[in-house]
Amino acid sequence: MSKQSSESEEFMNQSIMGIHDVQKKISEGRSLLLAGEEAVIQQLPKGNWVGGTIPYFITKEHGGLASRELIFVTDITDIVQSVSIAQYNKDTLANVYVEGPKQGFSFILIPAASETHLSFAVNAPNYKSFGMSPLIGWIAGVHLDDLGKKTPKVFNGSTGSMIEDGAIVLRAELKPGKLAEIGIINLFEQGDGDTLTFSADGFSAKDVMVNGAPHNFAAYLKEHNLDTRLPIVADYYGALVNISFQCINEAENMVHFYAPVFSGIRYKHAKPIADYVAAFDAHVSKVMGSNTDKVVFSCNCILNYLFSNLENKKTGAFVGPVTFGEIAYQLLNQTLVYLEIKDY
């Protein structure tokens, strides 16, 4: 589905817009978080913005939407006192928490499959001061028809630079009396099946321990006919974290993931979800009630978009880009992450 209108649909501070409307916002000095196709973002002038490539969005008006012409805009101007934009590589990114704002949040964008993406995924929990300041963002991607043809990009609006490997981080100092909180909505739960553990950290695995017994993981998945649209789920001290399947390389008997597994962590295959939107609405109602008016940014996973058929479907107050990975302190998969700005 594609929409070419330049009209915007306002949802609090979040909008799906045509390029001329975005150019106008930039010229007005607004501080923006952007998502859209590379060819469209490249036409934007310099300003107080950061952006990443993706043509999939959840919008208020249309629900799930794919567009190569529109840009999803999150305008944070009215909640911030100041912003600064920094660029990192896979080595310097270890300082992202140390260099976070004193009172605010950091917003991060990393291109999918880049060295920085892979390094952040494995090493972020070991960064100095990990989790001490709010860090939220997403992994840039491409239209699924362009896989293998185009590379994801991220943009530093203050310099006009576009990068294929590295990270762009916008540091936002909030206005006095404001507090940033990050939330995660993960509808997947551990199933009742086998306990899976791995001997090494990484984005792929050949071998797995199943209830303590060694197996080839690819053979195990095929033998048990497990649905690889469902992730394996780890319980990190009460926080459920998904590891999504990318593919099974039958020639090498290797299983590849969209996020790394970690050694010593116990995983289980997820329970299936019959109706994603209904389950999502029920979860939000249970956890947040109707108190979603403080949400200023959210992003959902491309795998949820595809496997749960979210095109044209709505997820309430949670609108934004549909991404190749979500970042809430560390890399996540098949989740929705969101940022709330509250008064204190």
Side-chain angles (χ1 to χ4, degrees):
M1 179 180 178
S2 179
K3 179 184 176 185
Q4 298 188 19
S5 170
S6 65
E7 295 178 357
S8 65
E9 57 177 56
E10 292 294 334
F11 188 68
M12 296 181 65
N13 65 319
Q14 299 177 279
S15 317
I16 189 80
M17 291 185 164
I19 186 170
H20 297 298
D21 293 329
V22 182
Q23 289 170 336
K24 183 173 184 293
K25 273 187 171 286
I26 293 172
S27 70
E28 293 170 350
R30 309 293 291 182
S31 297
L32 309 174
L33 315 175
L34 305 179
E37 277 274 275
E38 175 183 336
V40 180
I41 297 182
Q42 277 187 308
Q43 299 178 54
L44 298 176
K46 294 179 183 179
N48 295 326
W49 61 271
V50 295
T53 55
I54 203 72
Y56 303 101
F57 319 102
I58 301 292
T59 68
K60 180 194 175 187
E61 176 92 14
H62 305 284
L65 171 72
S67 172
R68 291 182 180 269
E69 296 85 24
L70 300 177
I71 299 173
F72 197 94
V73 179
T74 301
D75 188 340
I76 60 172
T77 310
D78 296 336
I79 60 172
V80 300
Q81 186 162 271
S82 64
V83 299
S84 62
I85 301 172
Q87 183 171 324
Y88 293 88
N89 60 36
K90 67 182 180 66
D91 299 316
T92 59
L93 190 54
N95 298 319
V96 69
Y97 284 105
V98 177
E99 297 173 354
K102 292 182 175 62
Q103 184 200 335
F105 64 93
S106 296
F107 183 84
I108 183 170
L109 293 164
I110 308 175
S114 64
E115 288 190 16
T116 304
H117 172 208
L118 304 183
S119 177
F120 176 82
V122 173
N123 299 313
N126 298 317
Y127 287 171
K128 186 177 180 181
S129 300
F130 171 75
M132 295 300 289
S133 62
L135 177 73
I136 191 168
W138 51 277
I139 303 298
V142 296
H143 195 287
L144 296 178
D145 291 344
D146 296 331
L147 286 172
K149 303 173 187 177
K150 292 183 179 180
T151 56
K153 313 289 196 313
V154 296
F155 298 81
N156 180 344
S158 64
T159 63
S161 60
M162 176 181 74
I163 61 173
E164 296 183 16
D165 187 11
I168 299 296
V169 177
L170 181 146
R171 305 189 195 106
E173 292 283 355
L174 293 172
K175 292 182 176 180
K178 300 291 183 181
L179 175 70
E181 290 187 359
I182 291 174
I184 301 169
I185 296 177
N186 181 7
L187 299 187
F188 293 99
E189 300 176 350
Q190 290 187 327
D192 299 325
D194 297 324
T195 298
L196 311 173
T197 56
F198 301 90
S199 60
D201 303 347
F203 279 79
S204 60
K206 191 168 189 177
D207 301 310
V208 64
M209 298 294 286
V210 180
N211 301 324
H215 287 263
N216 174 267
F217 196 25
Y220 169 82
L221 293 173
K222 292 175 65 177
E223 177 185 345
H224 292 268
N225 196 30
L226 294 185
D227 186 350
T228 54
R229 294 175 301 174
L230 302 174
I232 55 175
V233 182
D235 188 339
Y236 290 173
Y237 309 104
L240 298 178
V241 176
N242 305 327
I243 306 297
S244 304
F245 292 96
Q246 182 176 19
C247 66
I248 299 174
N249 185 326
E250 295 187 4
E252 298 179 0
N253 284 324
M254 185 79 72
V255 178
H256 298 278
F257 309 105
Y258 282 111
V261 293
F262 292 96
S263 62
I265 299 294
R266 295 182 177 184
Y267 299 89
K268 286 180 176 287
H269 195 233
K271 294 178 182 177
I273 297 172
D275 185 328
Y276 181 92
V277 172
F280 184 92
D281 290 343
H283 178 91
V284 172
S285 178
K286 178 180 178 181
V287 175
M288 303 180 71
S290 59
N291 300 318
T292 58
D293 59 318
K294 304 298 184 183
V295 175
V296 298
F297 170 81
S298 68
C299 63
N300 206 335
C301 183
I302 186 67
L303 298 179
N304 286 339
Y305 184 89
L306 294 173
F307 299 155
S308 300
N309 299 312
L310 294 184
E311 186 164 1
N312 299 319
K313 295 180 182 177
K314 301 177 182 180
T315 52
F318 298 91
V319 298
V322 175
T323 71
F324 276 33
E326 306 76 60
I327 297 172
Y329 298 105
Q330 66 184 81
L331 179 67
L332 302 172
N333 279 154
Q334 283 183 267
T335 61
L336 179 145
V337 303
Y338 61 95
L339 174 69
E340 291 182 288
I341 304 298
K342 298 181 176 180
D343 299 323
Y344 73 92

